[in-house]
Amino acid sequence: MSGSDGTDTGMTTAVEPDAVDAGYLAQAIELAKQNVADGGGPFGAVIVRDGAVLATGQNRVTRDLDPTAHAEVSAIRAACQVVGDFSLAGATLYTSCEPCPLCLSASLWARLDRVVFAADRYDAARGGFDDLAFYELFATPRSEWSMAIDTARPENAAAPFDAWLEADARTDY
Ligand SMILES: [Zn+2]
Protein backbone atom coordinates (compact mmCIF):
# COMPACT_ATOMS: atom_id res chain seq x y z
CA MET A 1 0.00 0.00 0.00
CA SER A 2 2.37 2.68 -1.14
CA GLY A 3 1.15 5.90 -2.64
CA SER A 4 1.15 6.09 -6.40
CA ASP A 5 3.33 9.17 -6.14
CA GLY A 6 5.75 7.41 -3.86
CA THR A 7 4.51 9.07 -0.68
CA ASP A 8 4.70 7.08 2.48
CA THR A 9 1.40 5.60 3.47
CA GLY A 10 2.58 4.23 6.75
CA MET A 11 3.03 0.65 5.72
CA THR A 12 6.39 0.48 7.42
CA THR A 13 7.62 -3.07 7.45
CA ALA A 14 7.11 -4.49 10.90
CA VAL A 15 10.12 -6.35 12.11
CA GLU A 16 10.49 -8.54 15.13
CA PRO A 17 12.21 -6.27 17.65
CA ASP A 18 15.43 -7.56 19.09
CA ALA A 19 15.73 -7.77 22.84
CA VAL A 20 17.26 -4.30 23.17
CA ASP A 21 14.61 -2.66 21.01
CA ALA A 22 11.86 -4.57 22.78
CA GLY A 23 13.10 -3.35 26.15
CA TYR A 24 13.12 0.32 25.20
CA LEU A 25 9.79 0.05 23.42
CA ALA A 26 8.33 -1.49 26.55
CA GLN A 27 9.68 1.47 28.50
CA ALA A 28 8.09 3.92 26.04
CA ILE A 29 4.76 2.11 26.25
CA GLU A 30 4.92 2.14 30.03
CA LEU A 31 5.57 5.91 29.98
CA ALA A 32 2.55 6.33 27.71
CA LYS A 33 0.28 4.30 29.95
CA GLN A 34 1.55 6.12 33.03
CA ASN A 35 0.82 9.44 31.36
CA VAL A 36 -2.77 8.39 30.75
CA ALA A 37 -3.07 7.45 34.41
CA ASP A 38 -1.79 10.95 35.23
CA GLY A 39 -4.37 12.59 32.98
CA GLY A 40 -2.18 13.09 29.88
CA GLY A 41 -2.14 11.77 26.35
CA PRO A 42 -1.25 8.14 25.56
CA PHE A 43 2.25 8.72 24.24
CA GLY A 44 5.73 8.04 25.62
CA ALA A 45 9.24 8.19 24.19
CA VAL A 46 12.78 7.20 25.12
CA ILE A 47 16.01 8.41 23.52
CA VAL A 48 19.04 6.13 23.71
CA ARG A 49 22.64 6.60 22.68
CA ASP A 50 25.55 4.24 23.23
CA GLY A 51 23.41 1.93 25.29
CA ALA A 52 22.28 4.61 27.73
CA VAL A 53 18.98 6.43 28.09
CA LEU A 54 19.59 10.13 27.48
CA ALA A 55 16.05 11.26 28.24
CA THR A 56 12.43 10.24 28.22
CA GLY A 57 9.33 12.16 27.24
CA GLN A 58 5.59 12.05 27.74
CA ASN A 59 2.86 13.95 25.97
CA ARG A 60 2.33 17.29 27.75
CA VAL A 61 -0.06 18.98 25.33
CA THR A 62 -3.00 19.41 27.66
CA ARG A 63 -1.00 19.85 30.85
CA ASP A 64 1.30 22.54 29.43
CA LEU A 65 -1.20 24.05 26.97
CA ASP A 66 1.41 23.29 24.31
CA PRO A 67 0.21 21.63 21.10
CA THR A 68 3.83 20.84 20.21
CA ALA A 69 4.60 19.06 23.48
CA HIS A 70 4.36 15.59 21.98
CA ALA A 71 6.25 12.81 23.75
CA GLU A 72 8.93 12.64 21.08
CA VAL A 73 9.46 16.40 21.01
CA SER A 74 9.59 16.46 24.80
CA ALA A 75 12.19 13.69 24.78
CA ILE A 76 14.25 15.43 22.09
CA ARG A 77 14.22 18.71 24.02
CA ALA A 78 15.26 16.96 27.23
CA ALA A 79 17.97 14.86 25.55
CA CYS A 80 19.52 17.91 23.92
CA GLN A 81 19.71 19.63 27.30
CA VAL A 82 21.35 16.52 28.78
CA VAL A 83 24.05 16.30 26.13
CA GLY A 84 24.42 20.06 25.68
CA ASP A 85 23.99 19.88 21.94
CA PHE A 86 21.26 20.55 19.39
CA SER A 87 22.25 17.38 17.55
CA LEU A 88 21.32 13.90 18.68
CA ALA A 89 23.34 12.18 15.97
CA GLY A 90 24.06 8.60 16.92
CA ALA A 91 20.91 8.31 19.02
CA THR A 92 17.78 6.23 18.61
CA LEU A 93 14.26 7.40 19.43
CA TYR A 94 11.93 4.74 20.77
CA THR A 95 8.33 5.81 20.84
CA SER A 96 5.11 4.17 21.90
CA CYS A 97 3.42 5.29 18.67
CA GLU A 98 4.52 6.14 15.16
CA PRO A 99 5.77 9.73 15.10
CA CYS A 100 3.31 12.22 13.66
CA PRO A 101 4.60 14.59 10.95
CA LEU A 102 5.68 17.08 13.63
CA CYS A 103 7.70 14.51 15.52
CA LEU A 104 9.11 12.91 12.40
CA SER A 105 10.36 16.34 11.32
CA ALA A 106 11.72 17.01 14.80
CA SER A 107 13.58 13.70 14.57
CA LEU A 108 15.12 14.79 11.29
CA TRP A 109 16.09 18.17 12.71
CA ALA A 110 17.64 16.42 15.70
CA ARG A 111 19.68 14.26 13.31
CA LEU A 112 18.63 11.09 15.05
CA ASP A 113 20.11 7.93 13.57
CA ARG A 114 17.03 5.81 14.00
CA VAL A 115 13.38 5.83 15.04
CA VAL A 116 11.58 2.75 16.36
CA PHE A 117 7.88 2.81 17.10
CA ALA A 118 5.31 0.38 18.50
CA ALA A 119 1.70 1.36 17.69
CA ASP A 120 1.05 3.08 14.37
CA ARG A 121 -0.99 5.96 12.94
CA TYR A 122 -4.01 3.68 12.57
CA ASP A 123 -3.96 2.84 16.25
CA ALA A 124 -3.68 6.57 16.98
CA ALA A 125 -6.67 7.28 14.73
CA ARG A 126 -8.69 4.75 16.68
CA GLY A 127 -7.79 6.74 19.79
CA GLY A 128 -9.13 9.92 18.19
CA PHE A 129 -5.78 11.46 17.26
CA ASP A 130 -5.01 13.21 13.98
CA ASP A 131 -1.71 11.57 13.04
CA LEU A 132 -3.25 9.65 10.15
CA ALA A 133 -5.37 12.64 9.09
CA PHE A 134 -2.31 14.89 8.94
CA TYR A 135 -0.29 12.34 6.98
CA GLU A 136 -3.17 12.17 4.50
CA LEU A 137 -3.44 15.95 4.43
CA PHE A 138 0.22 16.27 3.48
CA ALA A 139 -0.53 14.10 0.46
CA THR A 140 -3.19 16.53 -0.77
CA PRO A 141 -2.64 19.92 -2.46
CA ARG A 142 -2.38 22.78 0.02
CA SER A 143 -5.12 24.58 -1.88
CA GLU A 144 -7.51 21.97 -0.51
CA TRP A 145 -6.49 22.42 3.13
CA SER A 146 -8.89 24.02 5.59
CA MET A 147 -5.95 26.04 6.94
CA ALA A 148 -4.91 28.73 4.48
CA ILE A 149 -1.23 28.90 3.63
CA ASP A 150 -0.50 32.13 1.80
CA THR A 151 2.75 33.68 0.71
CA ALA A 152 3.73 37.20 -0.05
CA ARG A 153 7.24 38.00 -1.17
CA PRO A 154 8.38 41.51 -0.36
CA GLU A 155 11.60 42.77 -1.83
CA ASN A 156 13.58 41.93 1.29
CA ALA A 157 12.14 38.45 1.74
CA ALA A 158 15.56 36.83 1.47
CA ALA A 159 17.34 39.45 3.59
CA PRO A 160 17.48 37.23 6.71
CA PHE A 161 19.37 34.60 4.74
CA ASP A 162 21.74 37.19 3.35
CA ALA A 163 22.43 38.32 6.91
CA TRP A 164 22.85 34.72 8.01
CA LEU A 165 25.35 33.94 5.27
CA GLU A 166 27.33 37.06 6.12
CA ALA A 167 27.32 36.42 9.86
CA ASP A 168 30.80 35.45 11.05
CA ALA A 169 29.47 34.15 14.37
CA ARG A 170 26.79 31.90 12.96
CA THR A 171 26.45 28.34 14.19
CA ASP A 172 25.47 26.10 11.33
CA TYR A 173 22.92 23.43 11.96
ZN1 LIG B 1 3.98 14.06 17.35
Side-chain angles (χ1 to χ4, degrees):
M1 197 172 108
S2 63
S4 57
D5 58 352
T7 53
D8 164 50
T9 55
M11 297 305 284
T12 307
T13 305
V15 294
E16 200 64 37
D18 66 23
V20 174
D21 286 350
Y24 289 126
L25 281 178
Q27 192 175 341
I29 291 169
E30 196 52 45
L31 284 164
K33 288 169 60 184
Q34 187 62 51
N35 205 43
V36 173
D38 293 340
F43 302 95
V46 180
I47 294 179
V48 177
R49 188 160 71 186
D50 299 329
V53 173
L54 295 181
T56 64
Q58 291 165 299
N59 184 287
R60 298 297 191 212
V61 170
T62 54
R63 192 195 72 172
D64 293 353
L65 305 181
D66 180 355
T68 70
H70 290 192
E72 300 94 319
V73 170
S74 298
I76 287 169
R77 288 173 178 159
C80 286
Q81 292 303 308
V82 166
V83 301
D85 196 345
F86 47 78
S87 170
L88 296 175
T92 296
L93 167 69
Y94 293 93
T95 174
S96 64
C97 186
E98 181 180 8
C100 73
L102 165 70
C103 294
L104 201 54
S105 296
S107 299
L108 289 168
W109 281 115
R111 314 304 177 190
L112 287 161
D113 273 24
R114 186 173 172 236
V115 174
V116 185
F117 62 84
D120 61 23
R121 65 184 74 175
Y122 302 96
D123 296 303
R126 188 171 67 82
F129 295 92
D130 281 336
D131 307 60
L132 173 61
F134 288 162
Y135 272 114
E136 290 178 349
L137 185 67
F138 273 103
T140 65
R142 287 182 179 178
S143 58
E144 298 174 11
W145 294 21
S146 60
M147 178 182 74
I149 304 174
D150 298 323
T151 180
R153 191 175 175 87
E155 208 168 280
N156 65 345
F161 294 104
D162 296 335
W164 164 257
L165 292 169
E166 291 166 6
D168 294 328
R170 78 168 186 260
T171 303
D172 290 318
Y173 64 96

